[in-house]
Amino acid sequence: MTAESTRRAKGFWLSLFLALLLCTPPALAWNAAGHRLTAMIAWERLDDETREAVAGVLRQHPDFAVWQARSKGADPDLTAFLEASTWPDDIRKDKRFYTASLEEPTPTLPGFPDMERRLTWHHFDRPVDRPRNADYGLPNSSGLLERQLLTLAQTLANPNASIAERAYTLPWLIHLIGDAHQPLHAASRYGSDEQGDGGGNALNVFNPWQPRYPSTNLHRYWDDLPGAPWLRGSRLENAARSLTILYPPPAPSATPDQWLAESWRLARDAAYPPGNAAVPTISADFHANALDIARRRVAEAGYRLADQLQRVFQTSCRQDGCPGP
């Protein structure tokens, strides 16, 4: 293929991807469309043995029937995998669950270790203006994302873990690998008072590229970049396919710590609008670069999710057979 034909092909798939996302307003959703895109990319790359092992675990999740009723997908195993990818965000509004330190614990239902929403698992902030590994003297991040990525993988690979433990753990691992690739889940900007901005949550921005909801915060702006939360079905499949054409797999040997280091560098270099305005306006150049970063990170998360699941399930399969019902 010539350089010109390669350029035209890439332009075609980019146009298709944009059309798929713009067919509905791009309102909400690294924690919906973005996570489903990551999950779809991973599902397509899983080998048959791992896919069946993953499906067998998810069939035992207490909310498996809820996922099927909500999505109405033709393939129940794929449906469960996609719905599991957003489940740790879905429970934020689920009254069966509670937020630690803000609400009283709710009764523990069958199949769950407890009903805590575990909001601290989603992030692991580092100051963007200081070396990532420096002893910067600021309060430690309350985020546990780095630790949980390792702990959850260990649980899934543990042949002594019960099926209930695996069923609870797997949606969290699927989701948190996606979170680790969002730059502002790995970094915050700290002021002279040593108070962080919560991964951009405390920085209001004006986004003219979303005319229905132009006033937002920086973290929400990044969460919204991959597409509309209702992206499902054939449109989801086509969007995921276009991402894999636009963005090839990254180096396969990266570790969760390296994923977070990548996100931290992106947050430092590209996640914050330039200038010192109290409420920055998102420029055309900034928006175009942010879209490219977000889409690439969603794709990279999908590739790495597939690699991680094949490693942890092959480990458990070798020791006690593929986990299933």
Tab-separated table of all heavy atoms in Angstrom, residues 229-256:
chain	number	residue	atom	x	y	z
A	229	PRO	N	-23.002	7.934	25.834
A	229	PRO	CA	-23.114	6.785	26.740
A	229	PRO	C	-23.985	5.668	26.193
A	229	PRO	O	-23.882	4.539	26.645
A	229	PRO	CB	-23.712	7.387	28.011
A	229	PRO	CG	-24.434	8.604	27.553
A	229	PRO	CD	-23.632	9.142	26.414
A	230	TRP	N	-24.847	5.966	25.229
A	230	TRP	CA	-25.728	4.933	24.689
A	230	TRP	C	-25.149	4.255	23.452
A	230	TRP	O	-25.864	3.579	22.717
A	230	TRP	CB	-27.096	5.530	24.373
A	230	TRP	CG	-27.035	6.857	23.696
A	230	TRP	CD1	-26.923	7.112	22.355
A	230	TRP	CD2	-27.074	8.127	24.334
A	230	TRP	NE1	-26.886	8.449	22.124
A	230	TRP	CE2	-26.988	9.120	23.319
A	230	TRP	CE3	-27.178	8.553	25.659
A	230	TRP	CZ2	-26.992	10.487	23.584
A	230	TRP	CZ3	-27.183	9.913	25.921
A	230	TRP	CH2	-27.100	10.856	24.895
A	231	LEU	N	-23.865	4.406	23.209
A	231	LEU	CA	-23.229	3.730	22.073
A	231	LEU	C	-23.221	2.223	22.327
A	231	LEU	O	-22.550	1.739	23.227
A	231	LEU	CB	-21.799	4.254	21.898
A	231	LEU	CG	-21.029	3.772	20.671
A	231	LEU	CD1	-21.674	4.279	19.389
A	231	LEU	CD2	-19.581	4.216	20.740
A	232	ARG	N	-23.988	1.481	21.534
A	232	ARG	CA	-24.127	0.039	21.719
A	232	ARG	C	-24.276	-0.644	20.361
A	232	ARG	O	-24.329	0.003	19.323
A	232	ARG	CB	-25.354	-0.295	22.578
A	232	ARG	CG	-25.317	0.185	24.022
A	232	ARG	CD	-26.610	-0.206	24.718
A	232	ARG	NE	-26.719	0.292	26.077
A	232	ARG	CZ	-26.282	-0.329	27.165
A	232	ARG	NH1	-25.675	-1.489	27.038
A	232	ARG	NH2	-26.451	0.193	28.366
A	233	GLY	N	-24.406	-1.943	20.393
A	233	GLY	CA	-24.753	-2.706	19.213
A	233	GLY	C	-23.756	-2.562	18.073
A	233	GLY	O	-22.546	-2.495	18.283
A	234	SER	N	-24.279	-2.513	16.849
A	234	SER	CA	-23.418	-2.459	15.677
A	234	SER	C	-22.607	-1.176	15.627
A	234	SER	O	-21.479	-1.165	15.129
A	234	SER	CB	-24.246	-2.606	14.401
A	234	SER	OG	-25.198	-1.550	14.284
A	235	ARG	N	-23.159	-0.087	16.127
A	235	ARG	CA	-22.401	1.167	16.150
A	235	ARG	C	-21.191	1.056	17.078
A	235	ARG	O	-20.116	1.562	16.767
A	235	ARG	CB	-23.301	2.332	16.578
A	235	ARG	CG	-24.305	2.736	15.509
A	235	ARG	CD	-25.251	3.795	16.016
A	235	ARG	NE	-26.109	4.301	14.942
A	235	ARG	CZ	-27.143	5.099	15.139
A	235	ARG	NH1	-27.459	5.488	16.368
A	235	ARG	NH2	-27.873	5.520	14.119
A	236	LEU	N	-21.380	0.393	18.213
A	236	LEU	CA	-20.256	0.161	19.119
A	236	LEU	C	-19.206	-0.718	18.445
A	236	LEU	O	-18.003	-0.419	18.495
A	236	LEU	CB	-20.754	-0.491	20.407
A	236	LEU	CG	-19.684	-0.916	21.411
A	236	LEU	CD1	-18.957	0.301	21.987
A	236	LEU	CD2	-20.299	-1.748	22.536
A	237	GLU	N	-19.632	-1.790	17.803
A	237	GLU	CA	-18.693	-2.689	17.128
A	237	GLU	C	-17.913	-1.959	16.048
A	237	GLU	O	-16.689	-2.126	15.927
A	237	GLU	CB	-19.461	-3.863	16.532
A	237	GLU	CG	-20.088	-4.788	17.570
A	237	GLU	CD	-20.929	-5.881	16.930
A	237	GLU	OE1	-20.793	-6.094	15.702
A	237	GLU	OE2	-21.717	-6.519	17.647
A	238	ASN	N	-18.589	-1.151	15.253
A	238	ASN	CA	-17.914	-0.420	14.174
A	238	ASN	C	-16.962	0.631	14.718
A	238	ASN	O	-15.858	0.830	14.180
A	238	ASN	CB	-18.942	0.227	13.259
A	238	ASN	CG	-19.708	-0.781	12.423
A	238	ASN	OD1	-19.216	-1.870	12.151
A	238	ASN	ND2	-20.914	-0.429	12.034
A	239	ALA	N	-17.369	1.310	15.794
A	239	ALA	CA	-16.480	2.316	16.394
A	239	ALA	C	-15.234	1.661	16.965
A	239	ALA	O	-14.121	2.176	16.819
A	239	ALA	CB	-17.229	3.092	17.474
A	240	ALA	N	-15.401	0.509	17.625
A	240	ALA	CA	-14.242	-0.208	18.166
A	240	ALA	C	-13.320	-0.669	17.040
A	240	ALA	O	-12.087	-0.566	17.154
A	240	ALA	CB	-14.711	-1.398	18.997
A	241	ARG	N	-13.901	-1.145	15.962
A	241	ARG	CA	-13.086	-1.604	14.833
A	241	ARG	C	-12.287	-0.447	14.234
A	241	ARG	O	-11.112	-0.589	13.897
A	241	ARG	CB	-13.988	-2.237	13.768
A	241	ARG	CG	-13.221	-2.891	12.618
A	241	ARG	CD	-14.165	-3.577	11.659
A	241	ARG	NE	-14.963	-4.594	12.342
A	241	ARG	CZ	-16.293	-4.521	12.505
A	241	ARG	NH1	-16.974	-3.485	12.035
A	241	ARG	NH2	-16.934	-5.491	13.127
A	242	SER	N	-12.902	0.715	14.112
A	242	SER	CA	-12.190	1.855	13.547
A	242	SER	C	-11.050	2.296	14.458
A	242	SER	O	-9.991	2.712	13.980
A	242	SER	CB	-13.152	3.013	13.293
A	242	SER	OG	-13.666	3.562	14.485
A	243	LEU	N	-11.248	2.180	15.784
A	243	LEU	CA	-10.164	2.529	16.706
A	243	LEU	C	-8.968	1.607	16.530
A	243	LEU	O	-7.815	2.054	16.570
A	243	LEU	CB	-10.659	2.473	18.153
A	243	LEU	CG	-11.489	3.647	18.660
A	243	LEU	CD1	-11.931	3.398	20.091
A	243	LEU	CD2	-10.711	4.952	18.576
A	244	THR	N	-9.219	0.324	16.334
A	244	THR	CA	-8.095	-0.607	16.181
A	244	THR	C	-7.364	-0.382	14.862
A	244	THR	O	-6.189	-0.743	14.741
A	244	THR	CB	-8.572	-2.072	16.265
A	244	THR	OG1	-9.515	-2.339	15.216
A	244	THR	CG2	-9.206	-2.353	17.615
A	245	ILE	N	-8.040	0.176	13.877
A	245	ILE	CA	-7.367	0.513	12.622
A	245	ILE	C	-6.543	1.790	12.775
A	245	ILE	O	-5.421	1.887	12.280
A	245	ILE	CB	-8.400	0.648	11.495
A	245	ILE	CG1	-9.029	-0.713	11.206
A	245	ILE	CG2	-7.785	1.243	10.230
A	245	ILE	CD1	-10.222	-0.668	10.282
A	246	LEU	N	-7.092	2.744	13.502
A	246	LEU	CA	-6.388	4.014	13.684
A	246	LEU	C	-5.204	3.899	14.630
A	246	LEU	O	-4.186	4.576	14.449
A	246	LEU	CB	-7.359	5.067	14.228
A	246	LEU	CG	-8.393	5.630	13.249
A	246	LEU	CD1	-9.452	6.412	13.997
A	246	LEU	CD2	-7.724	6.495	12.203
A	247	TYR	N	-5.335	3.026	15.650
A	247	TYR	CA	-4.318	2.970	16.705
A	247	TYR	C	-3.856	1.531	16.893
A	247	TYR	O	-4.582	0.710	17.446
A	247	TYR	CB	-4.890	3.518	18.015
A	247	TYR	CG	-5.421	4.921	17.877
A	247	TYR	CD1	-6.798	5.150	17.753
A	247	TYR	CD2	-4.563	6.022	17.841
A	247	TYR	CE1	-7.291	6.442	17.609
A	247	TYR	CE2	-5.060	7.312	17.702
A	247	TYR	CZ	-6.424	7.511	17.580
A	247	TYR	OH	-6.913	8.788	17.424
A	248	PRO	N	-2.651	1.197	16.476
A	248	PRO	CA	-2.145	-0.170	16.614
A	248	PRO	C	-1.830	-0.490	18.073
A	248	PRO	O	-1.729	0.409	18.916
A	248	PRO	CB	-0.878	-0.159	15.757
A	248	PRO	CG	-0.421	1.268	15.770
A	248	PRO	CD	-1.689	2.088	15.791
A	249	PRO	N	-1.654	-1.772	18.388
A	249	PRO	CA	-1.345	-2.159	19.762
A	249	PRO	C	-0.046	-1.533	20.256
A	249	PRO	O	0.921	-1.404	19.496
A	249	PRO	CB	-1.220	-3.684	19.693
A	249	PRO	CG	-1.999	-4.072	18.477
A	249	PRO	CD	-1.827	-2.947	17.504
A	250	PRO	N	0.000	-1.144	21.541
A	250	PRO	CA	1.243	-0.630	22.123
A	250	PRO	C	2.189	-1.782	22.450
A	250	PRO	O	1.856	-2.951	22.271
A	250	PRO	CB	0.764	0.070	23.397
A	250	PRO	CG	-0.441	-0.732	23.803
A	250	PRO	CD	-1.102	-1.166	22.512
A	251	ALA	N	3.353	-1.440	22.970
A	251	ALA	CA	4.301	-2.466	23.391
A	251	ALA	C	3.629	-3.387	24.405
A	251	ALA	O	2.992	-2.920	25.351
A	251	ALA	CB	5.537	-1.821	23.999
A	252	PRO	N	3.750	-4.696	24.230
A	252	PRO	CA	2.972	-5.628	25.053
A	252	PRO	C	3.457	-5.785	26.483
A	252	PRO	O	2.747	-6.346	27.303
A	252	PRO	CB	3.114	-6.949	24.291
A	252	PRO	CG	4.422	-6.831	23.573
A	252	PRO	CD	4.540	-5.378	23.198
A	253	SER	N	4.649	-5.348	26.805
A	253	SER	CA	5.222	-5.659	28.119
A	253	SER	C	4.910	-4.629	29.192
A	253	SER	O	5.390	-4.752	30.309
A	253	SER	CB	6.737	-5.794	27.993
A	253	SER	OG	7.304	-4.577	27.510
A	254	ALA	N	4.134	-3.594	28.891
A	254	ALA	CA	3.871	-2.542	29.878
A	254	ALA	C	3.126	-3.110	31.087
A	254	ALA	O	2.289	-4.009	30.972
A	254	ALA	CB	3.067	-1.417	29.238
A	255	THR	N	3.409	-2.559	32.256
A	255	THR	CA	2.794	-2.968	33.515
A	255	THR	C	1.806	-1.911	33.983
A	255	THR	O	1.823	-0.775	33.479
A	255	THR	CB	3.877	-3.157	34.587
A	255	THR	OG1	4.492	-1.868	34.822
A	255	THR	CG2	4.927	-4.167	34.145
A	256	PRO	N	0.917	-2.241	34.939
A	256	PRO	CA	-0.009	-1.222	35.442
A	256	PRO	C	0.689	0.051	35.911
A	256	PRO	O	0.178	1.153	35.672
A	256	PRO	CB	-0.699	-1.948	36.603
A	256	PRO	CG	-0.724	-3.379	36.166
A	256	PRO	CD	0.591	-3.585	35.456
